């Protein structure tokens, strides 16, 4: 090898200007703050509803009915987040966000709402509780971030609570889908059989089983991604001040 | 004649990977890649990306050393593109699959449908027609891959073959399952619908072939030149007046015809997904035509006349 060559002048750092990420404008920021505040409030309503219903009944059973409507409303409302990514006011991937929101909406409507018999299952409470705590933290995190006043506590909570809430939510979801299976098979819910003029068939029972199986490769990936994010964000705790 | 010195650094780590001295000024990047390959046998030329700037675009194999903005000691950056596979291999594999798979369903090979239907044939003549059309389509594609297409790139990343084969083979199986099913329902409007569908299908197959021939003739054998395609004497190529990538337009048409012929929802899905992908490709091709040629005809759209 020859002695260190000069290299072309272009090899110097700073020659390629970093792509400047266009953040949301003032109007978009105001809208997003309102959106995230409303969502935080909505999930707080669900949390309070769960607690009040528990205190009133004295048992964990059947609490779904006390928060059914706000749950449907606010979870479905999260579809707007896909739009936010598509329009560019939020820097996340449309595909990833779409996938995450669709899976929630799927569980809310296509499983829990559609199969009445599972609504009284305890597994529903399990995932609803996990979602509620997660979303309250997540939406307040976004709210404070947009206002540039993120308390360390919220950041810490966002990147720590998932360690328990994620498996909790996944367990609740899987158990609920599993509980729905016999009813779907019996009634042929959302299923299409041959013959028909579109020459198409769909077996919702098999589809639900495939959905359950898909958790096996997907859940660990998402979980470990969050773990890596946690190390990255909280790892340099000494770089950030406790407040702001 | 002044010789050049060439050093090749890793684009990410900036490690010195190779030093070549006494390089001819008229050496091409392709030749430099071969020389680099000799010192690093695991990186055959097809998987080398050589650039002037670590984050810049890859240089072309045809680029000549002395015409590049480098001093007599040239520094290049290398990125490994990963294992490569030739386009021809990928095309042959991804097209042979559907051809064979469809026939497995057509002949009702065991373990697909109920045992009493094994090796029986459909009583609907449209099912036989569909098999002929589907098979013809993929045989045409295979022959075009072998004898017509002139590829710009020799290779693509290896992982593409798994992705592409899953797509083609998966959809072929899904469509074939329903079309050849014992409970298949023929088109509502019967013979009229099937006849119209066949006409559309054949028209678009001929059209698609005509475009492939026209594109081939733009490019002399063994070259990678790019020229603006124009309508030729063949009427099927007159669509070049309105569209940049009429091969995709005709392909869409063929599958619309096949959907109409079979009246099968999975076929419609396949057509839709294919259309979405081809639109992405057409827009990209259209954009690069516009960038490369100042005098590119303004009337043309990427894939659908006036619309898309």
């Amino acid at each position: 090898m020859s002695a260190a060559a000069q290299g072309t002048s272009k090899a110097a750092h700073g020659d390629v200007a970093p792509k400047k990420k266009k953040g949301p404008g003032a109007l978009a920021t105001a809208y997003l703050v309102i959106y995230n505040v409303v969502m935080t409030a909505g999930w707080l309503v669900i949390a309070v509803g769960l607690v009040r219903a528990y205190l009133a009944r004295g048992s964990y059973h059947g609490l779904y009915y006390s928060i059914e409507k706000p749950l449907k409303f606010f979870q479905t409302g999260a579809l707007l987040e896909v739009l936010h990514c598509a329009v560019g006011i939020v820097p996340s991937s449309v595909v990833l966000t779409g996938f995450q929101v669709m899976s929630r909406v799927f569980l809310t409507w296509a499983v829990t709402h559609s199969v009445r018999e599972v609504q009284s299952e305890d597994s529903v409470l399990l995932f609803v509780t996990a979602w509620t705590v997660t979303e309250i933290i997540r939406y307040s995190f976004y709210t404070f971030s947009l206002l540039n006043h993120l308390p360390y506590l919220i950041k810490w909570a966002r990147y720590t609570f998932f360690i328990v809430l994620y498996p909790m939510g996944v367990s609740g979801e899987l158990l609920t889908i599993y509980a729905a299976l016999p009813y779907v098979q019996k009634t042929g819910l959302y299923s299409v059989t041959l013959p028909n003029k579109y020459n198409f068939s769909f077996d919702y029972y098999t589809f639900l089983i495939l959905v359950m199986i898909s958790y096996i490769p997907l859940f660990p990936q998402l979980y470990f991604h969050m773990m890596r994010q946690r190390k990255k964000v909280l790892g340099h705790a000494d770089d950030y001040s406790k407040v702001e | 004649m002044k010789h050049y010195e060439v050093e090749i650094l890793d684009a990410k780590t900036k490690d010195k990977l190779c030093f070549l001295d006494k390089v001819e000024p008229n050496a091409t990047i392709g030749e430099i890649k071969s020389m680099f390959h000799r010192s690093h046998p695991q990186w055959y030329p097809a998987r080398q990306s050589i650039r002037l700037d670590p984050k810049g675009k890859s240089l072309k194999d045809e680029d000549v050393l002395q015409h590049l903005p480098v001093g007599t000691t040239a520094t290049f950056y290398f990125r490994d593109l990963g294992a490569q596979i030739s386009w021809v291999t990928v095309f042959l594999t991804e097209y042979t699959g559907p051809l064979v798979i469809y026939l497995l369903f057509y002949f009702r090979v065991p373990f697909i449908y109920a045992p009493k239907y094994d090796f029986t044939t459909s009583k609907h003549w449209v099912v036989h027609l569909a098999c002929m059309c589907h098979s013809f389509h993929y045989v045409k594609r295979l022959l075009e891959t072998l004898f017509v297409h002139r590829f710009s790139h020799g290779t693509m990343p290896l992982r593409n073959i798994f992705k592409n084969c899953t797509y083609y083979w998966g959809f072929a199986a899904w469509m074939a399952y329903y079309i050849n099913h014992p409970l298949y329902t023929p088109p509502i409007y019967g013979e009229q619908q099937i006849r119209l569908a066949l006409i559309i299908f054949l028209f678009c197959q001929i059209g698609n072939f005509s475009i492939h021939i026209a594109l081939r003739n733009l490019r002399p054998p063994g070259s990678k030149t790019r020229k603006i395609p124009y309508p030729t004497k063949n009427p099927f190529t007159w669509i070049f007046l309105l569209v940049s990538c009429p091969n995709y337009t005709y392909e869409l048409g063929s599958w619309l015809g096949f959907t109409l012929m079979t009246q099968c929802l999975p076929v419609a899905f396949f057509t839709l997904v294919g259309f979405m992908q081809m639109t992405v490709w057409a827009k990209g091709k259209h954009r690069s035509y516009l960038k490369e040629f100042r005098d590119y005809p303004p009337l043309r759209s990427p894939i659908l006349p006036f619309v898309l």
Side-chain angles (χ1 to χ4, degrees):
Chain A
M1 285 293 183
S2 74
Q6 311 294 54
T8 61
S9 57
K10 280 183 141 217
H13 58 89
D15 113 87
V16 174
K19 278 199 207 109
K20 197 142 191 285
K21 259 214 169 113
K22 256 198 325 181
L27 185 62
T29 307
Y31 161 75
L32 284 173
V33 169
I34 294 171
Y35 173 79
N36 285 299
V37 165
V38 165
M39 293 304 257
T40 311
W43 286 93
L44 277 166
V45 161
I46 295 169
V48 166
L50 284 170
V51 171
R52 290 182 66 182
Y54 169 68
L55 293 173
R57 288 167 203 241
S59 100
Y60 292 114
H61 202 66
L63 295 182
Y64 168 76
Y65 301 102
S66 56
I67 45 81
E68 182 179 4
K69 286 210 184 356
L71 174 70
K72 286 176 175 172
F73 182 81
F74 289 100
Q75 185 59 82
T76 312
L79 283 169
L80 283 172
E81 285 162 52
V82 184
L83 194 65
H84 299 164
C85 296
V87 168
I89 55 179
V90 170
S92 298
S93 133
V94 173
V95 172
L96 205 57
T97 308
F99 182 78
Q100 288 168 337
V101 175
M102 279 315 296
S103 75
R104 289 285 192 87
V105 167
F106 175 77
L107 246 127
T108 307
W109 289 100
V111 181
T112 314
H113 165 81
S114 301
V115 187
R116 274 178 214 302
E117 292 85 349
V118 308
Q119 289 168 5
S120 49
E121 293 278 330
D122 291 340
S123 56
V124 173
L125 180 62
L126 198 60
F127 76 73
V128 169
T129 308
W131 291 4
T132 305
V133 179
T134 304
E135 299 300 65
I136 292 172
I137 298 172
R138 184 168 74 94
Y139 287 115
S140 26
F141 176 90
Y142 291 147
T143 309
F144 286 115
S145 299
L146 284 162
L147 298 171
N148 282 313
H149 277 66
L150 180 64
Y152 182 77
L153 181 65
I154 306 278
K155 178 156 71 179
W156 180 86
R158 198 219 168 172
Y159 285 101
T160 306
F161 277 46
F162 79 89
I163 297 176
V164 169
L165 292 177
Y166 221 10
M168 190 172 140
V170 165
S171 307
E173 293 170 27
L174 284 173
L175 286 167
T176 307
I177 298 175
Y178 184 73
L181 287 177
Y183 301 103
V184 169
Q185 188 171 50
K186 193 169 62 172
T187 62
L189 181 69
Y190 299 148
S191 301
V192 176
T193 55
L194 290 175
N196 61 72
K197 63 182 173 186
Y198 299 112
N199 291 302
F200 177 71
S201 68
F202 180 71
D203 183 25
Y204 193 47
Y205 176 82
T206 308
F207 179 74
L208 284 176
I209 292 178
L210 291 174
V211 167
M212 289 177 73
I213 293 175
S214 74
Y215 273 70
I216 298 174
L218 292 173
F219 169 66
Q221 283 191 48
L222 294 167
Y223 194 64
F224 291 121
H225 171 73
M226 282 302 282
M227 281 297 197
R228 281 192 299 267
Q229 291 294 98
R230 177 168 203 266
K231 276 192 190 48
K232 226 177 28 160
V233 172
L234 300 183
H236 318 292
D238 34 282
D239 289 2
Y240 300 124
S241 57
K242 289 279 173 178
V243 175
E244 244 120 294
Chain B
M1 179 167 52
K2 192 120 201 278
H3 279 131
Y4 280 68
E5 295 181 326
V6 171
E7 66 165 5
I8 301 180
L9 310 181
D10 184 297
K12 268 186 282 201
T13 64
K14 312 290 192 298
D15 291 342
K16 278 206 254 299
L17 296 172
C18 176
F19 181 79
L20 307 161
D21 61 359
K22 295 232 187 352
V23 182
E24 311 267 319
N26 60 4
T28 61
I29 292 293
E31 286 162 1
I32 290 171
K33 283 184 182 177
S34 302
M35 292 188 250
F36 185 41
H37 176 41
R38 251 172 266 146
S39 59
H40 292 268
Q42 74 277 25
W43 289 324
Y44 42 86
R47 69 190 279 179
Q48 297 178 27
S49 164
I50 302 288
R51 26 336 246 272
L52 289 165
D53 182 278
K55 295 209 180 83
K57 263 180 52 171
S58 274
L59 294 169
K60 296 191 256 223
D61 281 5
E62 302 80 53
D63 289 340
V64 174
L65 185 55
Q66 63 183 352
H67 296 147
L68 294 169
V70 292
T72 49
T73 302
T75 302
F76 292 120
Y77 293 90
F78 159 77
R79 241 198 79 198
D80 183 11
L81 296 171
Q84 298 284 303
I85 185 166
S86 79
W87 274 65
V88 173
T89 308
V90 174
F91 273 31
L92 292 179
T93 316
E94 69 190 14
Y95 296 155
T96 305
L99 186 61
V100 171
I101 289 170
Y102 193 101
L103 290 172
L104 293 175
F105 286 88
Y106 175 75
F107 287 115
R108 294 189 182 155
V109 149
F111 299 107
I112 299 176
Y113 305 111
K116 67 176 173 181
Y117 296 112
D118 289 351
F119 298 117
T120 57
T121 47
S122 174
K123 56 181 186 231
H124 306 291
W125 68 273
V126 67
V127 172
H128 307 298
L129 180 64
C131 182
M132 288 189 271
C133 290
H134 188 270
S135 305
F136 171 80
H137 179 77
Y138 282 103
V139 166
K140 170 180 159 292
R141 286 215 201 184
L142 285 166
L143 293 175
E144 284 172 340
T145 303
L146 290 169
F147 301 114
V148 177
H149 294 317
R150 292 207 168 113
F151 296 99
S152 312
H153 304 282
T155 67
M156 64 168 86
L158 182 63
R159 84 187 74 91
N160 278 13
I161 196 171
F162 302 108
K163 194 167 50 104
N164 292 12
C165 285
T166 305
Y167 172 79
Y168 278 105
W169 297 19
F171 262 116
W174 195 39
M175 295 191 292
Y177 174 78
Y178 289 105
I179 299 170
N180 298 294
H181 200 284
L183 296 177
Y184 171 76
T185 308
I188 291 185
Y189 296 106
E191 204 149 310
Q192 278 185 319
Q193 185 173 338
I194 298 168
R195 195 175 303 129
L196 174 63
L198 181 61
I199 292 171
I200 294 173
F201 178 81
L202 288 175
F203 183 90
C204 291
Q205 290 290 282
I206 299 172
N208 177 266
F209 181 70
S210 305
I211 301 302
H212 287 158
I213 294 290
L215 290 173
R216 169 201 173 83
N217 291 338
L218 282 183
R219 184 174 269 180
S223 85
K224 294 185 188 175
T225 51
R226 267 190 307 281
K227 300 213 296 254
I228 303 178
Y230 283 106
T232 68
K233 288 204 192 70
N234 181 344
F236 285 98
T237 64
W238 296 352
I239 190 176
F240 269 122
L241 290 168
L242 298 174
V243 158
S244 289
C245 302
N247 49 318
Y248 295 141
T249 318
Y250 281 121
E251 184 71 14
L252 171 67
S254 298
W255 287 105
L256 284 173
F258 193 68
T259 307
L260 192 65
M261 189 189 297
T262 57
Q263 200 171 291
C264 178
L265 196 56
V267 179
F269 276 128
F270 179 65
T271 307
L272 178 66
V273 175
F275 173 58
M276 282 162 46
Q277 175 65 84
M278 289 191 291
T279 301
V280 170
W281 290 335
K283 285 186 162 205
K285 191 99 193 88
H286 184 78
R287 225 175 295 131
S288 45
Y289 276 141
L290 288 173
K291 243 200 317 191
E292 188 165 348
F293 303 109
R294 304 266 104 179
D295 54 338
Y296 195 73
L299 190 60
R300 295 189 191 183
S301 322
I303 186 172
L304 293 179
F306 308 116
V307 170
L308 196 56

